[in-house]
Amino acid sequence: MTPNTSMRFYCDESRCIDCHGCEVACKEAHHLPVGVNRRRVITLNEGVIGQESYLSIACQHCSDAPCEQVCPVDCFYIRADGIVLHDKDKCIGCGYCLYACPFGAPQFPRQGVFGSKGAMDKCTYCAGGPEDTHSEKEYQLYGQNRIAEGKVPACAAMCSTKALLAGDATSVSKIITERVLRRGSGRGASESAMWNAAYK
Amino acid sequence: MKKIVILSLVFGLAMVGAFAADSQIWGEMRIPNILSYGQEQSLKLGALFTMLQNHYFGKIFLAILVLVPLVFFVHYKVIGPKVFSHEGKKVYAFDMFNRVVHQIAAISFIVIVPTGFVIVFGDFFGGGTFVRLCKNLHGIFTIPFAIVVIPMFVMWVKDMFLHWDDIKWLMIVGGYLSKVKNPVPAGKFNAGQKTWYWLATLGGVLMIVTGAMMYFLDFKIEMLNNITGLSQIDLLRVSAILHNVVGFAVVALFFVHIYMSIFAIKGAIHSILTGYKEEEEVKILHSSWYRKLKEQGKV
């Protein structure tokens, strides 16, 4: 599998209107517990006139996934299509993946009386987990498996301005390039800091 | 004691509650956290931690786990242990308070060190319930150590400062490379014990602090961010790196401590159990202290 056919997220800064719809779509689709938001919209240069912009970020499913490199129990696996998933039954909640992640994606719902970190939770690209596809356990632990149904992730599917794109690298880059050409301004996918941090 | 435990539990839970409301990692602070990853002016700690954890930490721990006992095995076979009579007179070295404090720390270490190794080699154990249990024990057994580390520091500190004897001791590696029982220059504690003392107390506090930061993860101590100039997640990265690096030294010297007390000086461990050291052992291995005791007429 070449890197060009691996699955990627891209948020078009010039289109994102800070509606937080992707956050809600994700939280609703997967019935996430209180305090866990797999996707978040952040505001860059807040309050600076003319420079404010919004970005929707989650796990970016990096091609060199640092989380996978540091995990002491090796609970991560990267699918042939580049989607980075992890096994919650193996995860010990040590937090190393969070320290390695450039995007602050891994989250740790607290568990038990001592409030220790439970198994890590992050965006699955709506591709479930290592359990049987569409099993009850997969749904409970990882949420919906829309990829297995041939659908794009819930966040990108609902994005009203189509700022958030999900798809293989070639298709996403192509759409961004077309948009930049049509607008006559802006940056291509490969010039975005986020894209480079995740997929360079 | 019970009060302290309950208080710390309540305090811990209260903090957990507070964290959820005002996240330092996934809330407003997420932007500085993300920017601290790869920006030019940042320390690039995320990439550094990833590189170290991916390529070095596990290997170094494995090397310590294999090589230190191997060196001791060879030492035991080639030079052999120092055997002193346990039938002769004894010197009272450790009072009840010393022993209780030491034993609490000892029990903590006996749990913390192996569980730490299980976490480092978590992939070998396949992750899941067992490794998670070890991770929790690693944290829980830090509490007794945290309670005794300061008393331990205070009760022995006056004997632990650098002395001329220590330089001489280091030059002959404490006499452990020879089979002959020549008097070794050392006070109540030799240079090796002093090194272990400073590492276990000061290093121990550093391990507790960095470990607690990784355990609580999403806490807010603005002073820490202001003094260090680091974002929350960079603080955690520094903690993880320090916890591993200081861990190398603690683990290595912990092995030395056990080898010395049980094998290298046959039965020396009895002194911390009963409080009495063998007079012959003191005469040879702590010759300066022995001379002092003699002057005071204590032996």
mmCIF file with all atom_site columns, all heavy atoms in Angstrom, chain A residues 160-183:
data_model
loop_
_atom_site.group_PDB
_atom_site.id
_atom_site.type_symbol
_atom_site.label_atom_id
_atom_site.label_alt_id
_atom_site.label_comp_id
_atom_site.label_asym_id
_atom_site.label_entity_id
_atom_site.label_seq_id
_atom_site.pdbx_PDB_ins_code
_atom_site.Cartn_x
_atom_site.Cartn_y
_atom_site.Cartn_z
_atom_site.occupancy
_atom_site.B_iso_or_equiv
_atom_site.pdbx_formal_charge
_atom_site.auth_seq_id
_atom_site.auth_comp_id
_atom_site.auth_asym_id
_atom_site.auth_atom_id
_atom_site.pdbx_PDB_model_num
ATOM 1   N N   . SER A 1 160 ? -20.907 20.954 7.281  1.00 0.00 ? 160 SER A N   1
ATOM 2   C CA  . SER A 1 160 ? -21.820 21.676 6.403  1.00 0.00 ? 160 SER A CA  1
ATOM 3   C C   . SER A 1 160 ? -21.090 22.487 5.330  1.00 0.00 ? 160 SER A C   1
ATOM 4   O O   . SER A 1 160 ? -21.625 22.734 4.258  1.00 0.00 ? 160 SER A O   1
ATOM 5   C CB  . SER A 1 160 ? -22.723 22.590 7.221  1.00 0.00 ? 160 SER A CB  1
ATOM 6   O OG  . SER A 1 160 ? -21.917 23.449 7.994  1.00 0.00 ? 160 SER A OG  1
ATOM 7   N N   . THR A 1 161 ? -19.857 22.901 5.620  1.00 0.00 ? 161 THR A N   1
ATOM 8   C CA  . THR A 1 161 ? -19.122 23.689 4.630  1.00 0.00 ? 161 THR A CA  1
ATOM 9   C C   . THR A 1 161 ? -18.097 22.829 3.885  1.00 0.00 ? 161 THR A C   1
ATOM 10  O O   . THR A 1 161 ? -17.336 23.355 3.076  1.00 0.00 ? 161 THR A O   1
ATOM 11  C CB  . THR A 1 161 ? -18.369 24.852 5.304  1.00 0.00 ? 161 THR A CB  1
ATOM 12  O OG1 . THR A 1 161 ? -17.457 24.292 6.258  1.00 0.00 ? 161 THR A OG1 1
ATOM 13  C CG2 . THR A 1 161 ? -19.312 25.796 6.004  1.00 0.00 ? 161 THR A CG2 1
ATOM 14  N N   . LYS A 1 162 ? -18.090 21.549 4.217  1.00 0.00 ? 162 LYS A N   1
ATOM 15  C CA  . LYS A 1 162 ? -17.110 20.612 3.650  1.00 0.00 ? 162 LYS A CA  1
ATOM 16  C C   . LYS A 1 162 ? -15.679 21.125 3.852  1.00 0.00 ? 162 LYS A C   1
ATOM 17  O O   . LYS A 1 162 ? -14.820 21.016 2.979  1.00 0.00 ? 162 LYS A O   1
ATOM 18  C CB  . LYS A 1 162 ? -17.388 20.352 2.159  1.00 0.00 ? 162 LYS A CB  1
ATOM 19  C CG  . LYS A 1 162 ? -18.690 19.583 1.930  1.00 0.00 ? 162 LYS A CG  1
ATOM 20  C CD  . LYS A 1 162 ? -18.570 18.133 2.418  1.00 0.00 ? 162 LYS A CD  1
ATOM 21  C CE  . LYS A 1 162 ? -19.926 17.468 2.618  1.00 0.00 ? 162 LYS A CE  1
ATOM 22  N NZ  . LYS A 1 162 ? -20.413 17.559 4.026  1.00 0.00 ? 162 LYS A NZ  1
ATOM 23  N N   . ALA A 1 163 ? -15.467 21.701 5.040  1.00 0.00 ? 163 ALA A N   1
ATOM 24  C CA  . ALA A 1 163 ? -14.112 22.099 5.399  1.00 0.00 ? 163 ALA A CA  1
ATOM 25  C C   . ALA A 1 163 ? -13.325 20.871 5.814  1.00 0.00 ? 163 ALA A C   1
ATOM 26  O O   . ALA A 1 163 ? -12.145 20.726 5.501  1.00 0.00 ? 163 ALA A O   1
ATOM 27  C CB  . ALA A 1 163 ? -14.146 23.093 6.559  1.00 0.00 ? 163 ALA A CB  1
ATOM 28  N N   . LEU A 1 164 ? -13.988 19.972 6.537  1.00 0.00 ? 164 LEU A N   1
ATOM 29  C CA  . LEU A 1 164 ? -13.322 18.774 7.018  1.00 0.00 ? 164 LEU A CA  1
ATOM 30  C C   . LEU A 1 164 ? -13.458 17.674 5.979  1.00 0.00 ? 164 LEU A C   1
ATOM 31  O O   . LEU A 1 164 ? -14.555 17.250 5.642  1.00 0.00 ? 164 LEU A O   1
ATOM 32  C CB  . LEU A 1 164 ? -13.935 18.331 8.351  1.00 0.00 ? 164 LEU A CB  1
ATOM 33  C CG  . LEU A 1 164 ? -13.245 17.157 9.040  1.00 0.00 ? 164 LEU A CG  1
ATOM 34  C CD1 . LEU A 1 164 ? -11.791 17.481 9.371  1.00 0.00 ? 164 LEU A CD1 1
ATOM 35  C CD2 . LEU A 1 164 ? -13.986 16.772 10.310 1.00 0.00 ? 164 LEU A CD2 1
ATOM 36  N N   . LEU A 1 165 ? -12.312 17.246 5.468  1.00 0.00 ? 165 LEU A N   1
ATOM 37  C CA  . LEU A 1 165 ? -12.318 16.207 4.436  1.00 0.00 ? 165 LEU A CA  1
ATOM 38  C C   . LEU A 1 165 ? -11.685 14.940 4.975  1.00 0.00 ? 165 LEU A C   1
ATOM 39  O O   . LEU A 1 165 ? -10.706 14.982 5.714  1.00 0.00 ? 165 LEU A O   1
ATOM 40  C CB  . LEU A 1 165 ? -11.524 16.675 3.220  1.00 0.00 ? 165 LEU A CB  1
ATOM 41  C CG  . LEU A 1 165 ? -12.026 17.949 2.546  1.00 0.00 ? 165 LEU A CG  1
ATOM 42  C CD1 . LEU A 1 165 ? -11.070 18.358 1.437  1.00 0.00 ? 165 LEU A CD1 1
ATOM 43  C CD2 . LEU A 1 165 ? -13.437 17.763 1.997  1.00 0.00 ? 165 LEU A CD2 1
ATOM 44  N N   . ALA A 1 166 ? -12.257 13.810 4.625  1.00 0.00 ? 166 ALA A N   1
ATOM 45  C CA  . ALA A 1 166 ? -11.674 12.520 4.983  1.00 0.00 ? 166 ALA A CA  1
ATOM 46  C C   . ALA A 1 166 ? -11.624 11.678 3.726  1.00 0.00 ? 166 ALA A C   1
ATOM 47  O O   . ALA A 1 166 ? -12.594 11.604 2.981  1.00 0.00 ? 166 ALA A O   1
ATOM 48  C CB  . ALA A 1 166 ? -12.511 11.834 6.050  1.00 0.00 ? 166 ALA A CB  1
ATOM 49  N N   . GLY A 1 167 ? -10.471 11.058 3.496  1.00 0.00 ? 167 GLY A N   1
ATOM 50  C CA  . GLY A 1 167 ? -10.349 10.218 2.313  1.00 0.00 ? 167 GLY A CA  1
ATOM 51  C C   . GLY A 1 167 ? -8.900  9.867  2.074  1.00 0.00 ? 167 GLY A C   1
ATOM 52  O O   . GLY A 1 167 ? -8.033  10.204 2.888  1.00 0.00 ? 167 GLY A O   1
ATOM 53  N N   . ASP A 1 168 ? -8.632  9.202  0.945  1.00 0.00 ? 168 ASP A N   1
ATOM 54  C CA  . ASP A 1 168 ? -7.244  8.851  0.682  1.00 0.00 ? 168 ASP A CA  1
ATOM 55  C C   . ASP A 1 168 ? -6.461  10.099 0.280  1.00 0.00 ? 168 ASP A C   1
ATOM 56  O O   . ASP A 1 168 ? -7.033  11.091 -0.181 1.00 0.00 ? 168 ASP A O   1
ATOM 57  C CB  . ASP A 1 168 ? -7.154  7.758  -0.387 1.00 0.00 ? 168 ASP A CB  1
ATOM 58  C CG  . ASP A 1 168 ? -7.657  8.235  -1.724 1.00 0.00 ? 168 ASP A CG  1
ATOM 59  O OD1 . ASP A 1 168 ? -6.835  8.765  -2.491 1.00 0.00 ? 168 ASP A OD1 1
ATOM 60  O OD2 . ASP A 1 168 ? -8.877  8.101  -1.976 1.00 0.00 ? 168 ASP A OD2 1
ATOM 61  N N   . ALA A 1 169 ? -5.140  10.036 0.465  1.00 0.00 ? 169 ALA A N   1
ATOM 62  C CA  . ALA A 1 169 ? -4.281  11.204 0.313  1.00 0.00 ? 169 ALA A CA  1
ATOM 63  C C   . ALA A 1 169 ? -4.443  11.876 -1.045 1.00 0.00 ? 169 ALA A C   1
ATOM 64  O O   . ALA A 1 169 ? -4.559  13.105 -1.126 1.00 0.00 ? 169 ALA A O   1
ATOM 65  C CB  . ALA A 1 169 ? -2.828  10.789 0.522  1.00 0.00 ? 169 ALA A CB  1
ATOM 66  N N   . THR A 1 170 ? -4.495  11.096 -2.104 1.00 0.00 ? 170 THR A N   1
ATOM 67  C CA  . THR A 1 170 ? -4.562  11.660 -3.445 1.00 0.00 ? 170 THR A CA  1
ATOM 68  C C   . THR A 1 170 ? -5.854  12.449 -3.647 1.00 0.00 ? 170 THR A C   1
ATOM 69  O O   . THR A 1 170 ? -5.833  13.588 -4.124 1.00 0.00 ? 170 THR A O   1
ATOM 70  C CB  . THR A 1 170 ? -4.477  10.536 -4.504 1.00 0.00 ? 170 THR A CB  1
ATOM 71  O OG1 . THR A 1 170 ? -3.529  9.581  -4.064 1.00 0.00 ? 170 THR A OG1 1
ATOM 72  C CG2 . THR A 1 170 ? -4.090  11.074 -5.853 1.00 0.00 ? 170 THR A CG2 1
ATOM 73  N N   . SER A 1 171 ? -6.985  11.840 -3.251 1.00 0.00 ? 171 SER A N   1
ATOM 74  C CA  . SER A 1 171 ? -8.267  12.511 -3.449 1.00 0.00 ? 171 SER A CA  1
ATOM 75  C C   . SER A 1 171 ? -8.350  13.800 -2.636 1.00 0.00 ? 171 SER A C   1
ATOM 76  O O   . SER A 1 171 ? -8.794  14.833 -3.151 1.00 0.00 ? 171 SER A O   1
ATOM 77  C CB  . SER A 1 171 ? -9.422  11.590 -3.033 1.00 0.00 ? 171 SER A CB  1
ATOM 78  O OG  . SER A 1 171 ? -9.247  10.321 -3.585 1.00 0.00 ? 171 SER A OG  1
ATOM 79  N N   . VAL A 1 172 ? -7.907  13.733 -1.362 1.00 0.00 ? 172 VAL A N   1
ATOM 80  C CA  . VAL A 1 172 ? -7.991  14.928 -0.510 1.00 0.00 ? 172 VAL A CA  1
ATOM 81  C C   . VAL A 1 172 ? -7.115  16.041 -1.085 1.00 0.00 ? 172 VAL A C   1
ATOM 82  O O   . VAL A 1 172 ? -7.560  17.182 -1.234 1.00 0.00 ? 172 VAL A O   1
ATOM 83  C CB  . VAL A 1 172 ? -7.590  14.597 0.948  1.00 0.00 ? 172 VAL A CB  1
ATOM 84  C CG1 . VAL A 1 172 ? -7.457  15.870 1.769  1.00 0.00 ? 172 VAL A CG1 1
ATOM 85  C CG2 . VAL A 1 172 ? -8.603  13.660 1.583  1.00 0.00 ? 172 VAL A CG2 1
ATOM 86  N N   . SER A 1 173 ? -5.860  15.712 -1.461 1.00 0.00 ? 173 SER A N   1
ATOM 87  C CA  . SER A 1 173 ? -4.971  16.737 -2.026 1.00 0.00 ? 173 SER A CA  1
ATOM 88  C C   . SER A 1 173 ? -5.578  17.337 -3.278 1.00 0.00 ? 173 SER A C   1
ATOM 89  O O   . SER A 1 173 ? -5.490  18.555 -3.521 1.00 0.00 ? 173 SER A O   1
ATOM 90  C CB  . SER A 1 173 ? -3.611  16.148 -2.416 1.00 0.00 ? 173 SER A CB  1
ATOM 91  O OG  . SER A 1 173 ? -3.074  15.445 -1.360 1.00 0.00 ? 173 SER A OG  1
ATOM 92  N N   . LYS A 1 174 ? -6.211  16.495 -4.091 1.00 0.00 ? 174 LYS A N   1
ATOM 93  C CA  . LYS A 1 174 ? -6.786  16.959 -5.351 1.00 0.00 ? 174 LYS A CA  1
ATOM 94  C C   . LYS A 1 174 ? -7.884  17.989 -5.089 1.00 0.00 ? 174 LYS A C   1
ATOM 95  O O   . LYS A 1 174 ? -7.920  19.053 -5.712 1.00 0.00 ? 174 LYS A O   1
ATOM 96  C CB  . LYS A 1 174 ? -7.352  15.761 -6.130 1.00 0.00 ? 174 LYS A CB  1
ATOM 97  C CG  . LYS A 1 174 ? -7.279  15.940 -7.637 1.00 0.00 ? 174 LYS A CG  1
ATOM 98  C CD  . LYS A 1 174 ? -7.772  14.686 -8.350 1.00 0.00 ? 174 LYS A CD  1
ATOM 99  C CE  . LYS A 1 174 ? -8.956  15.026 -9.230 1.00 0.00 ? 174 LYS A CE  1
ATOM 100 N NZ  . LYS A 1 174 ? -9.958  13.965 -9.291 1.00 0.00 ? 174 LYS A NZ  1
ATOM 101 N N   . ILE A 1 175 ? -8.763  17.681 -4.133 1.00 0.00 ? 175 ILE A N   1
ATOM 102 C CA  . ILE A 1 175 ? -9.854  18.609 -3.812 1.00 0.00 ? 175 ILE A CA  1
ATOM 103 C C   . ILE A 1 175 ? -9.300  19.939 -3.329 1.00 0.00 ? 175 ILE A C   1
ATOM 104 O O   . ILE A 1 175 ? -9.731  21.009 -3.757 1.00 0.00 ? 175 ILE A O   1
ATOM 105 C CB  . ILE A 1 175 ? -10.786 17.988 -2.752 1.00 0.00 ? 175 ILE A CB  1
ATOM 106 C CG1 . ILE A 1 175 ? -11.512 16.775 -3.342 1.00 0.00 ? 175 ILE A CG1 1
ATOM 107 C CG2 . ILE A 1 175 ? -11.800 19.019 -2.243 1.00 0.00 ? 175 ILE A CG2 1
ATOM 108 C CD1 . ILE A 1 175 ? -12.299 15.969 -2.348 1.00 0.00 ? 175 ILE A CD1 1
ATOM 109 N N   . ILE A 1 176 ? -8.297  19.872 -2.440 1.00 0.00 ? 176 ILE A N   1
ATOM 110 C CA  . ILE A 1 176 ? -7.722  21.116 -1.902 1.00 0.00 ? 176 ILE A CA  1
ATOM 111 C C   . ILE A 1 176 ? -7.071  21.917 -3.028 1.00 0.00 ? 176 ILE A C   1
ATOM 112 O O   . ILE A 1 176 ? -7.254  23.143 -3.132 1.00 0.00 ? 176 ILE A O   1
ATOM 113 C CB  . ILE A 1 176 ? -6.694  20.806 -0.784 1.00 0.00 ? 176 ILE A CB  1
ATOM 114 C CG1 . ILE A 1 176 ? -7.365  20.055 0.363  1.00 0.00 ? 176 ILE A CG1 1
ATOM 115 C CG2 . ILE A 1 176 ? -6.037  22.081 -0.270 1.00 0.00 ? 176 ILE A CG2 1
ATOM 116 C CD1 . ILE A 1 176 ? -8.507  20.791 1.027  1.00 0.00 ? 176 ILE A CD1 1
ATOM 117 N N   . THR A 1 177 ? -6.332  21.241 -3.887 1.00 0.00 ? 177 THR A N   1
ATOM 118 C CA  . THR A 1 177 ? -5.669  21.944 -4.991 1.00 0.00 ? 177 THR A CA  1
ATOM 119 C C   . THR A 1 177 ? -6.706  22.631 -5.881 1.00 0.00 ? 177 THR A C   1
ATOM 120 O O   . THR A 1 177 ? -6.533  23.802 -6.255 1.00 0.00 ? 177 THR A O   1
ATOM 121 C CB  . THR A 1 177 ? -4.839  20.949 -5.840 1.00 0.00 ? 177 THR A CB  1
ATOM 122 O OG1 . THR A 1 177 ? -4.031  20.184 -4.952 1.00 0.00 ? 177 THR A OG1 1
ATOM 123 C CG2 . THR A 1 177 ? -3.955  21.671 -6.835 1.00 0.00 ? 177 THR A CG2 1
ATOM 124 N N   . GLU A 1 178 ? -7.787  21.923 -6.200 1.00 0.00 ? 178 GLU A N   1
ATOM 125 C CA  . GLU A 1 178 ? -8.850  22.521 -7.033 1.00 0.00 ? 178 GLU A CA  1
ATOM 126 C C   . GLU A 1 178 ? -9.433  23.754 -6.369 1.00 0.00 ? 178 GLU A C   1
ATOM 127 O O   . GLU A 1 178 ? -9.663  24.786 -7.010 1.00 0.00 ? 178 GLU A O   1
ATOM 128 C CB  . GLU A 1 178 ? -9.961  21.490 -7.276 1.00 0.00 ? 178 GLU A CB  1
ATOM 129 C CG  . GLU A 1 178 ? -9.639  20.530 -8.409 1.00 0.00 ? 178 GLU A CG  1
ATOM 130 C CD  . GLU A 1 178 ? -10.608 19.358 -8.460 1.00 0.00 ? 178 GLU A CD  1
ATOM 131 O OE1 . GLU A 1 178 ? -11.638 19.402 -7.741 1.00 0.00 ? 178 GLU A OE1 1
ATOM 132 O OE2 . GLU A 1 178 ? -10.319 18.396 -9.196 1.00 0.00 ? 178 GLU A OE2 1
ATOM 133 N N   . ARG A 1 179 ? -9.666  23.656 -5.053 1.00 0.00 ? 179 ARG A N   1
ATOM 134 C CA  . ARG A 1 179 ? -10.236 24.795 -4.320 1.00 0.00 ? 179 ARG A CA  1
ATOM 135 C C   . ARG A 1 179 ? -9.298  25.995 -4.372 1.00 0.00 ? 179 ARG A C   1
ATOM 136 O O   . ARG A 1 179 ? -9.729  27.120 -4.595 1.00 0.00 ? 179 ARG A O   1
ATOM 137 C CB  . ARG A 1 179 ? -10.469 24.428 -2.849 1.00 0.00 ? 179 ARG A CB  1
ATOM 138 C CG  . ARG A 1 179 ? -11.696 23.559 -2.644 1.00 0.00 ? 179 ARG A CG  1
ATOM 139 C CD  . ARG A 1 179 ? -11.892 23.317 -1.169 1.00 0.00 ? 179 ARG A CD  1
ATOM 140 N NE  . ARG A 1 179 ? -12.953 22.348 -0.940 1.00 0.00 ? 179 ARG A NE  1
ATOM 141 C CZ  . ARG A 1 179 ? -13.268 21.884 0.267  1.00 0.00 ? 179 ARG A CZ  1
ATOM 142 N NH1 . ARG A 1 179 ? -12.598 22.280 1.334  1.00 0.00 ? 179 ARG A NH1 1
ATOM 143 N NH2 . ARG A 1 179 ? -14.257 21.020 0.403  1.00 0.00 ? 179 ARG A NH2 1
ATOM 144 N N   . VAL A 1 180 ? -8.003  25.726 -4.159 1.00 0.00 ? 180 VAL A N   1
ATOM 145 C CA  . VAL A 1 180 ? -7.018  26.816 -4.158 1.00 0.00 ? 180 VAL A CA  1
ATOM 146 C C   . VAL A 1 180 ? -6.989  27.477 -5.530 1.00 0.00 ? 180 VAL A C   1
ATOM 147 O O   . VAL A 1 180 ? -6.987  28.719 -5.648 1.00 0.00 ? 180 VAL A O   1
ATOM 148 C CB  . VAL A 1 180 ? -5.618  26.279 -3.767 1.00 0.00 ? 180 VAL A CB  1
ATOM 149 C CG1 . VAL A 1 180 ? -4.545  27.330 -4.012 1.00 0.00 ? 180 VAL A CG1 1
ATOM 150 C CG2 . VAL A 1 180 ? -5.609  25.838 -2.310 1.00 0.00 ? 180 VAL A CG2 1
ATOM 151 N N   . LEU A 1 181 ? -7.030  26.650 -6.595 1.00 0.00 ? 181 LEU A N   1
ATOM 152 C CA  . LEU A 1 181 ? -6.989  27.203 -7.960 1.00 0.00 ? 181 LEU A CA  1
ATOM 153 C C   . LEU A 1 181 ? -8.218  28.050 -8.236 1.00 0.00 ? 181 LEU A C   1
ATOM 154 O O   . LEU A 1 181 ? -8.143  29.141 -8.791 1.00 0.00 ? 181 LEU A O   1
ATOM 155 C CB  . LEU A 1 181 ? -6.892  26.060 -8.976 1.00 0.00 ? 181 LEU A CB  1
ATOM 156 C CG  . LEU A 1 181 ? -5.526  25.375 -9.053 1.00 0.00 ? 181 LEU A CG  1
ATOM 157 C CD1 . LEU A 1 181 ? -5.584  24.174 -9.973 1.00 0.00 ? 181 LEU A CD1 1
ATOM 158 C CD2 . LEU A 1 181 ? -4.450  26.369 -9.511 1.00 0.00 ? 181 LEU A CD2 1
ATOM 159 N N   . ARG A 1 182 ? -9.376  27.541 -7.812 1.00 0.00 ? 182 ARG A N   1
ATOM 160 C CA  . ARG A 1 182 ? -10.630 28.258 -8.075 1.00 0.00 ? 182 ARG A CA  1
ATOM 161 C C   . ARG A 1 182 ? -10.662 29.592 -7.337 1.00 0.00 ? 182 ARG A C   1
ATOM 162 O O   . ARG A 1 182 ? -11.058 30.608 -7.868 1.00 0.00 ? 182 ARG A O   1
ATOM 163 C CB  . ARG A 1 182 ? -11.826 27.387 -7.671 1.00 0.00 ? 182 ARG A CB  1
ATOM 164 C CG  . ARG A 1 182 ? -13.106 27.817 -8.366 1.00 0.00 ? 182 ARG A CG  1
ATOM 165 C CD  . ARG A 1 182 ? -14.261 26.838 -8.158 1.00 0.00 ? 182 ARG A CD  1
ATOM 166 N NE  . ARG A 1 182 ? -13.861 25.436 -8.127 1.00 0.00 ? 182 ARG A NE  1
ATOM 167 C CZ  . ARG A 1 182 ? -14.140 24.626 -7.098 1.00 0.00 ? 182 ARG A CZ  1
ATOM 168 N NH1 . ARG A 1 182 ? -14.780 25.060 -6.032 1.00 0.00 ? 182 ARG A NH1 1
ATOM 169 N NH2 . ARG A 1 182 ? -13.781 23.371 -7.150 1.00 0.00 ? 182 ARG A NH2 1
ATOM 170 N N   . ARG A 1 183 ? -10.207 29.541 -6.051 1.00 0.00 ? 183 ARG A N   1
ATOM 171 C CA  . ARG A 1 183 ? -10.214 30.770 -5.250 1.00 0.00 ? 183 ARG A CA  1
ATOM 172 C C   . ARG A 1 183 ? -9.108  31.719 -5.696 1.00 0.00 ? 183 ARG A C   1
ATOM 173 O O   . ARG A 1 183 ? -9.193  32.919 -5.483 1.00 0.00 ? 183 ARG A O   1
ATOM 174 C CB  . ARG A 1 183 ? -9.948  30.429 -3.774 1.00 0.00 ? 183 ARG A CB  1
ATOM 175 C CG  . ARG A 1 183 ? -11.150 29.928 -3.014 1.00 0.00 ? 183 ARG A CG  1
ATOM 176 C CD  . ARG A 1 183 ? -10.922 30.123 -1.524 1.00 0.00 ? 183 ARG A CD  1
ATOM 177 N NE  . ARG A 1 183 ? -9.730  29.412 -1.054 1.00 0.00 ? 183 ARG A NE  1
ATOM 178 C CZ  . ARG A 1 183 ? -9.763  28.184 -0.552 1.00 0.00 ? 183 ARG A CZ  1
ATOM 179 N NH1 . ARG A 1 183 ? -10.903 27.534 -0.466 1.00 0.00 ? 183 ARG A NH1 1
ATOM 180 N NH2 . ARG A 1 183 ? -8.658  27.608 -0.133 1.00 0.00 ? 183 ARG A NH2 1
#
